Amino acid sequence: MSQPIVQLKDLRINATTDSGRQVEIIKGVSFDVTPGEMLALIGESGSGKTTIALSLLGHTRSGCWIDAGEIVVDGHDMAKLSEAQRAEHRGATVSYIPQSAAAAFNPAKSLIDQVIEAARIHDIMPADAARKKAIELFRALALPDPDTIGERYPHQVSGGQLQRLSAAMALITDPRLVIFDEPTTALDVTTQIEVLRAFKSVMKQGGISGVYVTHDLAVVAQIADRIAVLKEGEVQEIGTTEQILHAPEHPYTKELMSAFEPKAFEGIAIGNTHDIKPVLDVKDVFAGYGPKRSDGMPTALILKDINFDLMPGKNLGVIGESGSGKSTLARAVAGLLPPAAGQIGFNGAALRPDLQHRTKDQLRRIQIVFQLADTALNPNKPIGKILGRPLDFYHGLKGRAREARVDELLDMVRLPKSIRHRLPAELSGGQKQRINLARALAAEPELILCDEITSALDTVVAAAILELLKELQRELSLSYMFISHDLSTVEAICDDVLVMYKGEIVERMPTVQMRDGAQHAYSRLLISSVPQLDTQWLDGLEQDLEIIAQFSHR
Amino acid sequence: MNNIIFKLIAQRLGVMIISLVIVSFAVFAATQLLPGDVAEILLGQAATPEAVAALREAMGLNQSALVRYFQWLAGLAQGDFGLSYVTNEPIVDLIAGRLQNTLRLAGITALFSVPLALSLGILAALYQDTRFDRIVSGITVTVISVPEFMVATIAVLIFAVHLKWLPALSYANEITSLGHMLKIFAMPVITLTFVISAQMIRMSRAAVIETLNTPYCEMALLKGASRIRTVMVHALPNALGPIANAVALSVSYLLGGVIIVETIFNYPGIAKLMVDAVATRDLPLIQSCVMIFCFGYLILIMLADIISILANPRLRT
Amino acid sequence: MTGLTTTIARKSGYHINLMGLCSAAVILFWAIIALIAPMITPYPVGEIVDWDYFGPSSSAFWLGSDYLGRDVFSRILMGARFTVGISLVAVTLACFIGVTLGMIAAVIGGVFDQVLSRFLDAFNSIPSKLFGLVVVAAVGSSIPVLILTLTAIYAPGSYRFARALAVNINTMDFVTVARARGEGAIYLIWEEILPNILGPVLADFGLRFVFIVLLLSGLSFLGLGVLPPNADWGALVKENISGLPFAAPAVIYPSIAIASLTISVNMMIDNLPKKIRDREN
């Protein structure tokens, strides 16, 4: 058996916290990678996967250092080498594909100069030969205009193209090992497919070994031979992809798999639906930003001809890719972005388009919850005050009555009462999002607009939040408008789903029909682009090239 | 791309011109606030009512302030700065030689300080957190925190009093030889160099460090680039904009520092002229000097802005 | 010494620096001197007490005597009142005006913001020393005029800084949530924005204080600031400048006083106590 390309033995990495304390963030990790294989490191945020991946290059982020263990890459122990020696291997033996290619490219230099830079640093071949090789790589990665794309600057190409260019940048020196650091996380699903395909073909061609870091199990299923599951700096389980996906052994792996599996949604029964008015009734809405043009429309028109309604006790999902206008829709309903045309009706009564003219009661009954819990909570206010304010503002509660209600709200979102004295910075992502929800509930609303509220959370935490949302709906008869780019989330909680593309509603259908029964070409493209937990999915995927070209923002 | 840059530059130019007009208005207004009648003050003992009236008529002081303002502006635009109240000479003559002196002083200072400061700043960023960096940072913070006259007095104490290399004051009107000239310029230039170098070192160091913390500089490291290569090839080109901005701003500080330095060293420049004019309440002279100063200041600030615009790669291509 | 700093750190939850402590001590020292100066000067400030002028440091005159034979130490102590006092009043006014207007402009936006920003930007076209020069030339240099001039010079900078901070906070989701709730501008400014910009605003306060001290000293040095018989530290340097070729203490010590104050403030800003954020707790 040939020598493994990577041998990690009992790696320990420490870090210093703000207060000067030392903590161990990687606690004795060991694994091997055989030549030509792709090992995936999966785990939630904070599991240490990026730290381990960077250590394979002998690099640690500031504040961290390698405490013990061996990091043997192609026979060299990166942990023991000097910085200059490590630099000799970086980019030559082992190279790195970053998470955000857009940030990893120097805005002031041309693309081709940066792609061949590693070859020049290590003096592997003269500049001309490097350029030729780069262009071949561009072709292999299916980039448009491979002969000339290198002359452009980073801001002139799209995100998906940049990600593939960073792959060319990593492969120019024929490395033996490539580290992929969540390279498709920031991309839309439709773009992600192309990029994954490109990676897979180039790696197979060169017989290159890889380590793929991600939290997305479906992506991993397409591209990895073996999977290592990480949690809090320790390996929970390692095995072949098939085994981990279909027969996990470790309880944490099982938890992860179950959070990933979409659960069918059972809506709550309403009873007699004949005379009930819709909670939300949107007609002919147009909205956008900027000064008004001569036809009355704003200069940057985002939403066009929006029509839909939402019945009480039901949930409506809104899916689409970036730029589809889904967040703008939420803001228009909330009154934060008054529509230029059209009407919004709430429980049969017309809502004034902007905040200033709506009554306090109307404002109270529609609440909005945002994606990034970090910026949605005032960092200088303790939780008790944050929750207390809407109680005071809407219901005039003060003193003991208010404190009691705050306790109830915390209970509703399954958080301990002691948390009221904490500041937001002391809470985890999931806890902060629960506080966000509690704040919305404090108003006793009828409709909650959820703007990508689980998108920034880990899979397990997000699943818990969705459960909470469903319970609250049963207890309090709420309706949700749930905006997300993640189809499985929407599947788990919505009765119907709207598909948006470039500011227009392209289709509306019951969620149960989503997987197989979409009618519109774009809906079908979008839904078929979501990776499945099936290792053969990517290879077997057939998508109409013409439709892709029509809808792509490549 | 050229269109956008053109528009932005034209905008800046426009802003500068408007600012100049506002400044001229403010300066004129300020000098009108002076208590007491100008003609009376000038005539002093000889201020009989008829003499005062005649002088007012001759000086055009009976016209409204607004009219006088526009007359003055028109004069400025044509290069006619009026006559000094004190010496009755054309102000242009008074200013010309002194302006030259000040520009010479500023030019020599810039020549020394810019390369010195940029090198130190970039080196300090390159060797961040080493002893060299800490010493440089410590000295620059100290120099920035203290008044210019303190730097000047310390320079005099060291070079004139203790080492006796240079004269304490400079009598630039009697330049006899190159050596003599060097001696005269040395003290003011040393003082000014310290003052603006400190600013430039701080700003350029910060600009390079900030650029070093970007993801693309980390990417360069991960491709195997040495720290020097990362700084020179990746960080510097992107830091050039902020650095050039810093240079332009620091040079504009010269305009403030030169007021102190010319006073303390008795250097016959335009700043000293202005300070003396304030003491003697020579209004036209004050107005003219202030306008020249503001003009120079605004040009430097506008230059700093334009450089920032040009340095943005998104606009260039 | 590290024992002291770690104890403070553990008890209060703040990470304190030795440098920060020292600078704070110096600042406190001068603040107290400024308050009690008339009570502790060893010699009356205006009286000639030494036969020798520009006398050296001695046991009788700790910091020597000035160009007329007056005690330098006493004059420095009294000078603290003017330097520290005038600067403190000016910076407080400047920051109060600047921060308030900045926050209002950020929250209300629109025409108010545009007009105010352009107007205050115009102040940017005049170098600060020049402005001071012109105003003093026009109106004279009584203490109220000095204070107002200094305020006018530095308020626009404070406005721009505070406005930039406030605009940043204004775009954050928690402010949007409050707006969507129906909260009014005053609530937004007082409860949501101000607490989140207080830290940087205080640091800017300190920096501006240093600028003002330096400008005031510069103006006094040119004979345009605090006028005789009063004297702030800058004026002390001016009146004794003829002693420079003799390295007289009378020229040097007032400068050192200024430097001690400004360096300490800068040091303290760089070494502000950092709140310990320990997630494991």
Side-chain angles (χ1 to χ4, degrees), chain C residues 118-203:
Chain C
R118 292 254 181 272
F119 173 67
L120 289 176
D121 258 354
F123 278 83
N124 207 18
S125 344
I126 313 181
S128 37
K129 274 209 187 57
L130 218 59
F131 193 104
L133 217 79
V134 169
V135 172
V136 165
V139 190
S141 59
S142 64
I143 301 217
V145 167
L146 274 177
I147 293 182
L148 283 175
T149 311
L150 291 168
T151 306
I153 296 177
Y154 287 104
S158 167
Y159 165 82
R160 195 171 320 118
F161 184 69
R163 180 185 169 281
L165 288 173
V167 162
N168 214 15
I169 303 282
N170 200 32
T171 54
M172 299 219 161
D173 287 336
F174 62 85
V175 176
T176 313
V177 167
R179 270 220 176 81
R181 203 184 297 146
E183 305 275 12
I186 299 188
Y187 170 84
L188 289 174
I189 292 178
W190 186 249
E191 289 281 336
E192 306 284 355
I193 299 195
L194 182 58
N196 286 303
I197 65 174
L198 212 48
V201 159
L202 285 176

Side-chain angles (χ1 to χ4, degrees), chain A residues 292 310 332 438 523:
Chain A
K292 289 227 169 37
L310 172 60
S523 315

Side-chain angles (χ1 to χ4, degrees), chain A residues 83-222:
Chain A
E83 196 59 27
Q85 288 166 323
R86 286 173 186 165
E88 276 171 46
H89 293 286
R90 289 179 192 150
T93 324
V94 48
S95 52
Y96 177 77
I97 297 183
Q99 175 169 8
S100 167
F105 275 98
N106 186 335
K109 298 182 76 186
S110 73
L111 291 164
I112 194 136
D113 281 339
Q114 298 183 61
V115 167
I116 64 172
E117 185 175 7
R120 301 302 300 132
I121 295 177
H122 299 282
D123 221 0
I124 295 185
M125 59 182 107
D128 287 333
R131 268 173 218 270
K132 284 211 191 68
K133 177 146 187 222
I135 295 182
E136 274 170 37
L137 278 169
F138 295 161
R139 232 182 286 274
L141 290 161
L143 281 164
D145 304 316
D147 295 305
T148 53
I149 195 173
E151 309 303 323
R152 306 223 201 115
Y153 283 79
H155 65 273
Q156 293 172 310
V157 298
S158 76
Q161 289 167 350
L162 277 174
Q163 211 63 46
R164 282 173 280 169
L165 284 162
S166 65
M169 187 159 70
L171 292 167
I172 191 88
T173 51
D174 286 326
R176 299 208 56 198
L177 174 69
V178 178
I179 315 280
F180 296 80
D181 192 358
E182 303 214 52
T184 58
T185 309
L187 302 174
D188 285 329
V189 276
T190 46
T191 325
Q192 181 176 254
I193 294 201
E194 237 179 53
V195 174
L196 280 179
R197 276 212 177 110
F199 285 170
K200 212 170 166 181
S201 81
V202 167
M203 296 293 282
K204 278 261 153 22
Q205 256 180 24
I208 311 175
S209 323
V211 172
Y212 200 102
V213 172
T214 180
H215 65 276
D216 188 340
L217 280 170
V219 164
V220 150
Q222 310 315 315

